[in-house]
Amino acid sequence: MRLLTAAVLMGALALAACHPRSGAGQAADNPVAPILTTADAVDDQSFARPLEARVTHLALDLDVDFDTKRIGGTATLDIQRRPDAKTIVLDDNGLQIDAITDQHRRALPFKVGAARPEMGSPLVIALRPDTSRIIVTYKSAPNAGALLWLTPQQTVGKKAPFLFSQGEAIENRSWIPTQDSPGIRQSWEATIHVPAGMTVVMSAPRPEQPITEGGEGVFNFRMDHPVASYMIAIAVGDLAFRPLGPRTGVWAEPATLPAAAAEFSDTEKMVSAAEALYGPYRWGRYDVLVLPPSFPFGGMENPNMTFLTPTVIAGDKSLVNVVAHELAHSWSGNLATNATWNDGWLNEGMATYAERRIVEALYGKKQADEQIALGIDTLNKAVADAAAGGGNATRLHTDPKLKDSDQSGEIAYEKGSAFLRTIEAIVGRPAFDAWLKGYFDRHAFQPVTSAMFLADIRQHLVKGDTSLEAKLMLDRWVYQPGIPPNMVRPPADTFAEQDKAARAFAAGNAVPEDWAGWTTDERLRFLTRLPRKLPARSLDALQTAFKLNQARNSEVRFAWLDTAVANHYDAAIPSLQQFLTEQGRGKFVMPLFQALAKDSSWGEPIARRIYPLARPLYHPVVTRVLDPLFVAKPTEKGAK
Ligand code: BES
Ligand code: ZN
């Protein structure tokens, strides 16, 4: 721990010593967040070399052009540098760079280096001895990986076009020239120009009312806290707002707003519950934005403005754990941020743990236990899937040098949250809660690594208690594959009724009588505990009893369609087509298309027919995964 602290301090001092803060726009009460200097904090997914020169503040002045599908203008970067630094390296993925100058408008030579797959290219800018600010004049490419441009027809209201961004993990370099690494924090501000009548929201407070000027709308945003670049987000469209509480509210297309406001009416209570657990909410307002159905995730924790898929609007609040999860990131992730994506569990596992604590506070222990139990099912499946690769993909701290180490998302979420629940059970809730709250305070607005997490828990919770240390198995949880033997589980009878019903159905097609009284989580347990192979008459019985082809709940609909595809159930094809073409959430559309594409006799022709219809709605993070499934095979007729 001592060593680590010393290394951090040295890194910060090396930069700060000779360089007074340059940023006129920088908030006085927020010191520049340090760059970690340990080997495990080196981000191999960014080209930046922050110990030589780093961005401390970013000011964007951008036009949004729906005709050319480009965002363009200037990015003004305040930097800190070692006195002898000759260059600063930014991340760039496909930007059109028109000019780069220093604070005196003198041109700075620059070079876009060779691209690496998925990472983009280094943008290397020569520094003059006195350069403290850099102004980049640029445009994003029409196919920028962070951005989705929707036609009016692809929105719910069908009146205006729509644009939104998705930054995590390394997409923002396709529209913002900065250092795109979660270990490098910067405050930021933006002035955004859009066609008159359109509304802009971003992941920061809006210090002034928007104005309309010369046929365009001008919106200002300002984030005084230093944040990682992936937390910068924008959405532009026909958007309306409704307050939910004194510091919470919902933005959505006008047609979606009433249902969204009803679904998320507990948001203010969630913020209070989270504060009771983890200390004051430090970001000011907490608003949620419901995007058009193309949004590729369930939710994204953009500061001040969680982005949400409309597929969580079930009509009965049964999927609002997604809001609890994104809100939890206001502590885990947005306050204390993984320094590299190899420690993604520090963001996601902690958020998943805290999500279920918030659910427990609002909706009770039974509902939280059910969601924990479904999480254990997900974890078991992820561990089984990773077995072929020797389990390397099941380590919480991922080591990209190991073979087959690519972590499936579920491990970070579910092994990470199971780890925290296990610690909680061993030390007791009061001690654990006090520690976790302290951890967020001690690392607020700073990057963290697994090693720092472990050092903090040893210093503040274990405190040298060797028998406690042995019980916790901390290193085994973080650095070894698989599930340690001390994992705690929710009560064994959590889904007793559903498991019994699934067995009864498997034995003789008896459909559960209590279905109507079951919660969404209970329905999901039943559906996912059915035998994987079912005859058409069994699926007919379920469809007749519960109308699953018409299920409005997106999670239930997905679980059903997943079963239907596995069993070549023709009667589900229209429902499948509708589901795949009316929303673009990766968690739903990717596994369905992948299952179809793998199944050359039944599924592949269906997938090839539906994908061209669905694709225009999907965000680049989804099409990047699905397009390769559908490249024409050379043997096919007409293939080039
Ligand atoms: N931060 C994630 C989304 C994400 C992860 C984006 C990795 C890009 C890369 C977000 O907080 C999240 O986990 N969303 C989940 C919902 C949650 C309840 C598990 C989702 O999108 O399904
Ligand atoms: Zn998350």
Side-chain angles (χ1 to χ4, degrees), residues 281-588:
Y281 177 77
R282 305 193 198 211
W283 303 89
R285 293 193 56 81
Y286 180 75
D287 292 322
V288 300
L289 165 68
V290 179
L291 288 129
S294 293
F295 190 62
F297 293 101
M300 175 64 212
E301 65 268 30
N302 299 127
N304 292 97
M305 186 70 67
T306 281
F307 282 25
L308 290 174
T309 165
T311 66
V312 297
I313 302 179
D316 59 2
K317 301 188 180 178
S318 60
L319 305 176
V320 298
N321 66 295
V322 176
V323 178
H325 178 96
E326 307 314 334
L327 170 64
H329 277 303
S330 304
W331 288 262
S332 141
N334 296 358
L335 266 194
T337 308
N338 51 215
T340 77
W341 298 110
N342 295 330
D343 280 326
W345 78 274
L346 291 171
N347 281 15
E348 295 301 343
M350 282 206 184
T352 302
Y353 168 82
E355 160 199 337
R356 292 170 184 157
R357 293 294 303 274
I358 297 168
V359 166
E360 182 183 325
L362 265 82
Y363 307 111
K365 183 160 184 330
K366 170 102 177 126
Q367 187 161 330
D369 279 346
E370 290 193 347
Q371 294 181 0
I372 290 167
L374 290 177
I376 300 277
D377 288 348
T378 306
L379 175 59
N380 289 336
K381 190 172 172 301
V383 170
D385 290 348
N392 278 338
T394 67
R395 291 167 206 262
L396 284 180
H397 170 75
T398 59
D399 181 350
K401 290 192 294 296
L402 296 173
K403 206 172 150 280
D404 295 317
S405 65
D406 246 15
Q407 197 180 61
S408 70
E410 286 81 15
I411 293 293
Y413 290 77
E414 296 299 345
K415 185 179 172 184
S417 63
F419 179 30
L420 299 177
R421 277 198 314 279
T422 299
I423 305 172
E424 179 202 325
I426 293 172
V427 304
R429 185 168 269 193
F432 184 74
D433 286 358
W435 168 74
L436 188 50
K437 185 176 179 197
Y439 166 87
F440 290 132
D441 283 341
R442 288 185 288 278
H443 300 93
F445 303 110
Q446 288 177 50
V448 280
T449 61
S450 281
M452 290 168 70
F453 167 91
L454 291 172
D456 190 276
I457 205 166
R458 289 196 163 103
Q459 184 180 353
H460 296 280
L461 189 62
V462 183
K463 297 183 189 152
D465 179 339
T466 49
S467 105
L468 176 57
E469 174 76 43
K471 275 190 225 144
L472 291 171
M473 306 186 176
L474 298 172
D475 292 312
R476 180 161 174 177
W477 271 96
V478 173
Y479 295 115
Q480 297 302 315
I483 305 301
N486 65 350
M487 179 170 91
V488 295
R489 292 165 191 280
D493 62 353
T494 302
F495 284 121
E497 192 187 332
Q498 289 70 40
D499 293 353
K500 194 169 147 224
R503 287 191 297 270
F505 183 79
N509 283 350
V511 295
E513 275 168 25
D514 305 334
W515 175 271
W518 285 358
T519 64
T520 291
D521 298 317
E522 290 160 356
R523 293 174 180 188
L524 290 173
R525 173 72 164 221
F526 171 79
L527 290 172
T528 54
R529 284 295 166 113
L530 293 174
R532 195 62 186 152
K533 284 283 161 204
L534 287 167
R537 74 188 131 70
S538 298
L539 295 169
D540 285 341
L542 291 172
Q543 167 59 22
T544 304
F546 309 131
K547 306 281 178 287
L548 294 168
N549 278 330
Q550 290 79 39
R552 157 145 191 228
N553 187 293
S554 60
E555 295 280 354
V556 171
R557 178 83 163 266
F558 170 75
W560 163 250
L561 292 174
D562 180 60
T563 307
V565 167
N567 291 290
H568 296 186
Y569 185 54
D570 289 325
I573 296 175
S575 171
L576 178 67
Q577 172 161 350
Q578 185 192 30
F579 190 62
L580 292 171
T581 53
E582 73 185 7
Q583 52 81 36
R585 185 173 173 186
K587 174 184 156 181
F588 297 148

Side-chain angles (χ1 to χ4, degrees), residues 206-212 218-220:
R206 206 168 71 175
E208 292 154 38
Q209 283 306 307
I211 56 166
T212 309
V218 185
F219 291 73
N220 285 297

